[in-house]
Amino acid sequence: MTAPEHPSPSQAMAQLLRQLAPTAVARDAAGGTALAERQLLRDSGLLTLAIPREWGGQQRGWPEILRLVRQLAQVDSSLAHLFGFQHLQVATLLLFGARAQQEKYLRAAVAGKWFWGNAVNARDTRLSVQPTDGGYLLDGLKGFCSGAQDSDVLNVSFSLGPLPTDGRFAVIPTDRAGITLHDDWDNMGQRQTDSGTVEFKQVLIRHDDILGPPGVASRPRATLRNLIGQLVLTEIYLGNALGALQSAVDHAREQVQPWPMAGVQHAVDDPLLQLQAGEQWIALQAATALADRALDHFQQAWDAGEALTEAQRGDLAITVAAARVQAGRTALQVTSQIFELIGARATARKHGFDRYWRNVRVHTLHDPLEYRKKAVGQWVLTGQLPNPYGYG
C-alpha cells in the first residue's frame, strides 16, 4: 500500500492554522469537545505523519512532527495537545506492538482517519483487573484521558503486578461495551483537550488486544515512549510562549497607547517595553535552541533501533529533561510577563491573552518541573542516569 498524496506537512499546518485562529479565543472560553476542529485535523492528513509508508502513512521524522506541535500550540494549545498525543499513541504501537498488530491497526488508522484517544495515566490506579476466558475484565476509572471524546480507538494501560514488566497496553475500540466517556474536564487551561475520565464496567480486553511482543519495559527502545510524551509537553510550552509573545507584540504595535511618562509617540518606542520584549525574546531563543537539540538527539536514538543502549537512552533522558525544564520555566515567565507589554486594557476577556499562561500552568503542574531538575542534578553530582523503566 502506498501513501496517499497529501500537501506537505508545513502547507497542511499553515492551512489548519488559518482555519483555527479566528475561533481560538472563543473556543477556549467555551471548553468542551472541538468536534469541528478535530474533523479538520482528520481531513488534513496530519494525523498519519508518524505511520510508516508501507502502511499508508507519511513516515516523517520526529523533529518535524514535534515542531508542528510547537507551531500548532502557538494558535491553539488544546488542539496541539491532541495532535501531539495522537502521535504518541502511534509511537506506542510502533514501540510495543508486534508487527502484525502494527500493520492491522495502522492501516485501519490511515483508511479511517482515526483519532486515537488514551486511557493510559500510569499514576491512576483505580482500575481493577480480573482474568477471564480469553483475556481480562477491567473495572474502574482512568483520569486525564486526553482525546478520548470523539476518538475511534483507545490506548489503555493496566498492570498485572508491581513490576514495570507487569504493565500492559491494549488497543480497543472506544465504543466497546462497558466504556463510558465522562465529559468532566473543566480545568482552567487546555480547555478543549477532553482530558476527562473514562469509566470501565466489565470491559473485555482480549489477549490479542494487548500489544506485544515485545510489550512494555522490554528493552531500552521501548522506554522511548515516555520521552516522546516529555517532548510533546516541551513543545506545548514553547508554542504557548511563542504565541503569547507574538500576539502581544502585534497588539502593542496596533493598539497600545504609549505611557505618558515615556515621552514617545508610539508604544513600541518606549525603552522599558523594549527591554521587556528583548528579555522575553532572548529567553525564548535559549529555550528553543535546547528543545531543538533534544529533538535531534531523540531522532538519533529512534534511528538506533534495537541497538539503543540503556546508557544512550539515559543520556537522551537528561537532554530531554533539561529542554523541558527550560521550556517550562521560560513559558511561565513569558506568558505572565506579556502583560507588561500590552497593559491593563489587554486583560479584557475578549482578547484571551491569559489563555497562554493558563495552558502552560496546567501542564507544568501535571508533571512537576522540580522533579526533572532533580534528576538532572542527580546526574550532575553522581553520574546516575534516570531509570529507563520508571518515569524518567
Side-chain angles (χ1 to χ4, degrees):
M1 179 178 179
T2 59
E5 291 295 324
H6 292 290
S8 73
S10 61
Q11 291 172 328
M13 181 57 71
Q15 172 64 19
L16 182 65
L17 295 180
R18 286 192 291 270
Q19 294 170 304
L20 295 177
T23 62
V25 172
R27 287 187 292 102
D28 170 79
T33 304
L35 287 172
E37 291 71 26
R38 287 173 67 113
Q39 188 61 44
L40 292 175
L41 260 175
R42 291 177 192 269
D43 295 338
S44 71
L46 291 167
L47 298 184
T48 69
L49 293 179
I51 297 176
R53 292 187 187 91
E54 63 182 312
W55 298 321
Q58 300 181 61
Q59 195 172 334
R60 313 300 283 216
W62 286 105
E64 181 178 10
I65 293 170
L66 291 164
R67 287 190 183 103
L68 289 172
V69 174
R70 182 191 306 174
Q71 190 176 351
L72 181 51
Q74 293 179 52
V75 171
D76 192 318
S77 184
S78 290
L79 269 292
H81 178 124
L82 297 178
F83 177 66
F85 272 44
Q86 166 83 8
H87 300 297
L88 176 61
Q89 308 318 315
V90 172
T92 302
L93 197 59
L94 295 173
L95 292 170
F96 300 161
R99 181 175 173 80
Q101 292 173 321
Q102 294 171 8
E103 180 173 7
K104 170 187 172 182
Y105 290 119
L106 295 180
R107 282 190 187 278
V110 172
K113 299 181 180 180
W114 279 5
F115 231 120
W116 292 67
N118 91 91
V120 168
N121 184 1
R123 296 182 61 234
D124 193 333
T125 59
R126 292 177 291 172
L127 272 187
S128 67
V129 184
Q130 296 295 327
T132 189
D133 290 341
Y136 300 93
L137 293 176
L138 300 188
D139 280 283
L141 302 171
K142 277 278 190 178
F144 291 102
C145 297
S146 299
Q149 299 280 353
D150 188 46
S151 65
D152 299 280
V153 289
L154 292 173
N155 265 337
V156 180
S157 69
F158 59 97
S159 185
L160 304 178
L163 300 176
T165 50
D166 293 326
R168 299 290 185 272
F169 272 74
V171 177
I172 60 174
T174 305
D175 61 1
R176 178 162 290 182
I179 293 177
T180 302
L181 308 181
H182 291 285
D183 185 15
D184 55 0
W185 178 253
D186 189 28
N187 291 42
M188 70 178 184
Q190 297 300 98
R191 300 267 298 144
Q192 290 198 311
T193 59
D194 296 307
S195 297
T197 306
V198 175
E199 183 175 3
F200 297 81
K201 291 184 178 179
Q202 293 286 287
V203 175
L204 175 64
I205 303 293
R206 296 187 292 262
H207 286 306
D208 60 1
D209 294 327
I210 299 172
L211 296 182
V216 305
S218 53
R219 68 263 192 254
R221 177 174 171 77
T223 69
L224 292 178
R225 184 190 187 277
N226 284 352
L227 298 184
I228 295 173
Q230 298 299 313
L231 289 169
V232 169
L233 296 181
T234 299
E235 297 303 334
I236 290 173
Y237 300 160
L238 279 178
N240 274 283
L242 290 164
L245 182 56
Q246 187 59 59
S247 296
V249 167
D250 292 342
H251 192 83
R253 288 172 176 168
E254 297 166 5
Q255 299 191 43
V256 176
Q257 297 298 312
W259 189 250
M261 295 173 63
V264 296
Q265 289 188 328
H266 304 288
V268 294
D269 295 321
D270 185 334
L272 294 184
L273 295 194
Q274 292 173 350
L275 283 172
Q276 282 281 347
E279 179 182 4
Q280 294 175 32
W281 186 88
I282 290 167
L284 271 172
Q285 299 314 296
T288 300
L290 194 52
D292 285 340
R293 179 186 171 203
L295 294 180
D296 292 339
H297 194 170
F298 181 85
Q299 187 65 50
Q300 293 169 14
W302 183 270
D303 292 342
E306 299 302 330
L308 183 71
T309 67
E310 286 193 12
Q312 290 170 332
R313 192 271 186 200
D315 287 340
L316 171 62
I318 293 296
T319 303
V320 171
R324 178 145 179 257
V325 168
Q326 190 65 27
R329 184 164 52 192
T330 300
L332 287 171
Q333 170 193 329
V334 170
T335 57
S336 63
Q337 291 183 357
I338 58 167
F339 293 96
E340 305 295 336
L341 299 177
I342 52 182
R345 286 188 177 88
T347 63
R349 293 177 64 183
K350 66 180 180 181
H351 297 302
F353 285 114
D354 61 310
R355 73 188 190 278
Y356 299 108
W357 179 85
R358 289 188 283 102
N359 292 332
V360 174
R361 183 71 279 188
V362 164
H363 265 315
T364 52
L365 293 172
H366 175 69
D367 186 356
L369 297 178
E370 296 302 310
Y371 283 95
R372 297 296 159 191
K373 286 195 286 185
K374 184 264 183 189
V376 174
Q378 181 174 350
W379 169 73
V380 169
L381 291 173
T382 71
Q384 182 176 337
L385 292 168
N387 176 8
Y389 304 106
Y391 197 57

